[in-house]
Amino acid sequence: MPVDRTTIALAVLGVLLVGAVAGGSTLVAAERTVLDSGYVTGTIAADDRYEEIRAPFVTTVRERLAEGSDPVPETTPPGIEVRPFDREAFAESAVAEAFGPARIDDTIEGMYGYLHGRQGREVLTLSLDDVKAAYARRVTEEAIDIDAAALADVGGETEGPMAINGTTVERLRASESSYLETRADFRESLPDGTDREALAERTKADIEPAVAEATADEEPAVTEAVIAIQFATVDALAGDLTYETYQERIDDAEADLRSVAGDRVRERIDELAPETIALDGEDGPVRNIDDTRAIVGTLDLLVWVVPAVALGLIGLVYGLTRSMWTTARTTGGAFLTAAAICVLIAILAGDAIAAAVDDTSAADGGDFGAVIGSIVDGFLDALVVQSLVVAVLGVVLFGVVWADRTGRLDGVRSALGRGPVATARGTSENPEASAVTSVTNATDRENSVDEADTRSTEGDDEPD
């Protein structure tokens, strides 16, 4: 028996509808998870994976800061000593400080904006100003010592009864009791009747030009800091300066010198490290982002096109059959089949994707695969949940058809101004089909009557 063309067309439309529903569900799951920056940053935060994300973003920065030339200037102002330090550890710390969670989230959102065509290429360029500032700050705070005692000798020791030298500063700073003892010893050494205030003024007058000459090649801040330390020492010995006030003045001068050292370090770092890094550069972490952007752009388009195609296919099914029941059954069957396919793919693909991610991560020598794995797991979970929803819709469509065919929706039909469907007597829901069936049945009855009359006549003619 030849297959009806309508049946073949309906089967083809059903298969296409299954593909459209399955594809649309997959695309929507992807847009909600792996292609959504909010979902990605939320997953990273929930799993606390910022360390893994940070590493590939700032590899270039870390290498330039840790493996380049010495970030400390070859020459430093007097009284400034640089201790050896672990460059890589300092670089790691600077990167961690500058690229905290908020900065990483902003970077990821910018990249996703570029992938989806919402932002330009400028979002792929990262400024390193914060990183370099953090690196210079740590070097300045932890690797640089300011020796105030050494600065007491800059310009040469003062002549006369007021000897300002490193030993004097060390004793004055040692403790309050040492401070008082040192001042008392100095005053006892003065000739009777010495005007300490006048002596202090003469000493300062000698100190200032001597220090200025000795530090002529340095920044003015260095000269001012050295003078401030020596003047504070003069006031401590000859005046009424308290121990606390003396310490504060020395600390302020040291802070000024530390600031000068920090500026020197920052200048050196600026010479070594670039101002920016391009994430899509030859050695950048997303150097193939343009290929990915083309794919994402296509998916963004398909996420709207595929559902529209599915609706069009449903319309073609109805146009071909002119039957709401057949359309609903075909759609429901497509939903159930597509849901089953998506769930099966999610289950089978989970292990394969995890293995591929692990292999890629191992090849790169990092743990970034764990981040990708979490995001992909979320995509597969979303696909399964959506598939269950699609399956429920399919069941609902079958349920509506069954309820309508058994007359359980006659009340609804009546409210909509449509007559009941008496399918138990074989009446079709399609008025045109019902009319054709009625005419066919009437014709069959007339033919049956004619055949009966003919048989009766032939029997009468037969002999006894």
Side-chain angles (χ1 to χ4, degrees), residues 41 62 68 80 87 91 139 141 153 157 181 200 204 282 345 420 427 430 432 443 447 450:
T41 54
R62 185 172 61 250
I80 297 178
R87 287 194 219 165
V139 172
E141 293 175 353
D153 295 328
E157 292 188 19
E181 182 181 350
K204 289 180 180 179
E282 293 183 0
I345 290 176
T427 305
N430 190 321
E432 295 180 4
T443 303
N447 291 336
D450 292 341

Side-chain angles (χ1 to χ4, degrees), residues 25-98:
S25 182
T26 303
L27 288 170
V28 171
E31 290 285 342
R32 291 175 53 215
T33 54
V34 295
L35 298 181
D36 181 70
S37 61
Y39 176 82
V40 172
T41 54
T43 301
I44 294 171
D47 295 344
D48 193 19
R49 296 290 185 179
Y50 285 108
E51 189 61 36
E52 289 89 339
I53 292 293
R54 185 181 293 116
F57 274 109
V58 296
T59 297
T60 302
V61 183
R62 185 172 61 250
E63 291 176 351
R64 293 295 293 273
L65 292 178
E67 299 177 7
S69 302
D70 194 339
V72 177
E74 296 179 358
T75 60
T76 56
I80 297 178
E81 177 186 356
V82 182
R83 301 190 306 273
F85 62 92
D86 187 337
R87 287 194 219 165
E88 180 148 355
F90 277 34
E92 290 283 356
S93 174
V95 168
E97 179 181 342

Side-chain angles (χ1 to χ4, degrees), residues 392-413:
V392 169
L393 291 176
V395 172
V396 169
L397 288 174
F398 277 113
V400 169
V401 171
W402 172 80
D404 194 26
R405 294 188 68 174
T406 56
R408 286 173 171 78
L409 297 182
D410 285 351
V412 177
R413 281 179 164 273

